[in-house]
């Protein structure tokens, strides 16, 4: 594959070049590379990371990144200094792009991933001055079932934007995932969560849809301009008006006191 043709002094191949050469097959090529570049950012992958599939960048991460770029979302969030949280960040593609645009970004994953390739990717792009005048993303470990780790993430929030890709793969983790989103996403009508997934587990997918609709307004985003969009599903989650209203009432009571 492409990685086998590289020499130790070859620059890492770019996402765009691989896409132009291989079409949909580029994702197989990308998954087998140690490093590649995406729009000037360099990313290292580690397929040998234990107890996690976060060592490589999956199609859903590319899909969500492309969607947000096409909607000018990263630029808008950057201009407004929006606070952004990524759950299950893996190698950090989305968080790196968001931070470079100026969003105040926190990336989270289990310890092995967060302090492995993800942290190294932040360091290598800091060294390359990829973020310019903007702050690089902050990396924290977060096991969705660990209250202490979640509290550390919450303490930096609340977050205007929460993002997650390939985060629905186990029925038992659907509840903890939604708890993380519910407790970190700012209770505001302008707050938004995007979850981009592939159907890794039909049961987990069904449970995700069921539980999500009990908490959020859910919109299925269908205008995906991505060659793998028949496999990637994108959900936009926003607060129900009653939840935003309850927060406003609570804030008003506190101010009155």
């Amino acid at each position: 594959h492409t990685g086998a043709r590289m020499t130790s002094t070859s620059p890492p191949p770019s996402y765009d070049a691989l896409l132009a050469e291989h079409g949909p097959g580029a994702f197989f090529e990308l998954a087998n590379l140690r490093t590649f570049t995406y729009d000037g950012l360099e990313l290292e992958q580690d397929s040998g990371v234990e107890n996690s599939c976060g060592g490589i960048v999956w199609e859903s991460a590319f899909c969500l990144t492309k969607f947000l770029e096409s909607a000018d979302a990263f630029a808008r969030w950057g201009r407004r200094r929006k606070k952004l949280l990524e759950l299950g960040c893996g190698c950090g593609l989305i968080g790196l792009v968001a931070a470079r645009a100026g969003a105040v970004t926190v990336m989270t994953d289990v310890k092995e991933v967060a302090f492995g390739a993800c942290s190294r990717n932040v360091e290598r792009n800091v060294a390359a001055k990829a973020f310019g005048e903007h702050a690089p993303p902050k990396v924290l470990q977060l096991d969705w079932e660990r209250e202490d780790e979640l509290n550390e993430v919450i303490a930096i929030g609340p977050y205007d934007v929460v993002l997650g890709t390939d985060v629905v793969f186990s029925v038992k983790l659907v509840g903890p995932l939604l708890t993380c989103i519910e407790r970190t996403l700012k209770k505001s009508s302008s707050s938004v969560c995007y979850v981009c997934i592939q159907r890794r587990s039909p049961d987990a997918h069904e449970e995700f849809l069921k539980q999500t609709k009990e908490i959020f307004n859910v919109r299925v985003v269908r205008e995906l301009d991505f060659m793998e969009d028949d496999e990637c599903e994108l959900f936009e989650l926003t607060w129900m008006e009653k939840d935003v209203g309850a927060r406003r009432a609570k804030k008003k009571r506190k101010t009155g006191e």
Side-chain angles (χ1 to χ4, degrees):
H1 53 71
T2 301
R5 295 198 299 270
M6 292 176 60
T7 68
S8 59
T9 57
S10 299
S14 74
Y15 168 87
D16 288 334
L18 288 170
L19 212 60
E21 181 180 356
H22 299 282
F27 298 102
F28 173 79
E29 298 291 328
L30 283 161
N32 285 281
L33 289 172
R34 180 68 176 178
T35 59
F36 68 93
T37 62
Y38 181 94
D39 192 23
L41 294 166
E42 185 172 323
L43 287 100
E44 170 193 335
Q45 302 185 110
D46 181 5
S47 59
V49 65
E50 295 183 4
N51 304 317
S52 174
C53 59
I56 65 172
V57 182
W58 294 90
E59 289 96 324
S60 57
F62 291 115
C63 182
L64 181 54
T65 302
K66 286 295 184 184
F67 170 78
L68 295 174
E69 287 176 335
S70 68
D72 200 36
F74 290 122
R76 284 188 285 105
W77 295 338
R79 286 193 298 269
R80 298 171 185 173
R81 300 294 291 160
K82 293 288 187 180
K83 190 172 288 188
L84 182 147
L85 170 67
E86 185 178 3
L87 300 171
C89 65
C91 299
L93 170 66
I94 300 175
L96 292 169
V97 175
R100 184 176 62 178
V104 179
T105 305
V106 176
M107 302 194 298
T108 65
D109 212 312
V110 294
K111 181 178 181 180
E112 295 81 1
V113 177
F115 299 143
C118 181
S119 290
R120 292 195 295 272
N121 283 332
V122 172
E123 291 167 2
R124 75 198 317 133
N125 285 287
V126 166
K129 303 186 185 306
F131 301 105
E133 62 183 13
H134 302 305
K138 184 177 182 64
V139 181
L140 294 176
Q141 68 183 64
L142 176 59
D143 179 326
W144 302 335
E145 298 181 289
R146 288 284 301 268
E147 184 75 11
D148 58 332
E149 294 179 4
L150 178 56
N151 284 337
E152 186 177 356
V153 175
I154 290 171
I156 303 175
Y159 301 88
D160 303 289
V161 182
V162 175
L163 304 175
T165 59
D166 254 304
V167 288
V168 178
F169 50 83
S170 165
V171 172
K172 79 180 188 71
L173 290 178
V174 169
L177 167 65
L178 292 178
T179 295
C180 288
I181 297 172
E182 188 175 8
R183 292 180 61 187
T184 57
L185 185 65
K186 184 177 181 179
K187 286 255 179 24
S188 167
S189 57
S190 62
S191 301
V192 64
C193 171
Y194 286 106
V195 177
C196 189
I197 57 178
Q198 294 176 294
R199 297 199 184 203
R200 305 294 182 190
S201 162
D203 290 342
H205 190 275
E206 183 178 344
E207 189 65 23
F208 172 77
L209 293 180
K210 176 186 173 184
Q211 291 192 35
T212 302
K213 290 175 182 177
E214 295 173 355
I215 307 171
F216 299 101
N217 294 313
V218 181
R219 181 174 77 94
V220 180
V221 181
R222 299 194 181 279
E223 58 272 22
L224 296 178
D225 183 18
F226 186 72
M227 66 174 57
E228 297 291 307
D229 63 0
D230 59 331
E231 295 185 14
C232 295
E233 297 178 81
L234 178 56
F235 300 92
E236 179 187 82
L237 314 181
T238 54
W239 287 112
M240 296 180 183
E241 182 57 35
K242 65 179 181 65
D243 295 309
V244 176
R247 177 184 179 277
R248 288 176 184 151
K250 182 178 179 181
K251 186 176 181 180
K252 188 174 181 180
R253 288 195 302 270
K254 188 174 181 181
T255 304
E257 293 172 359

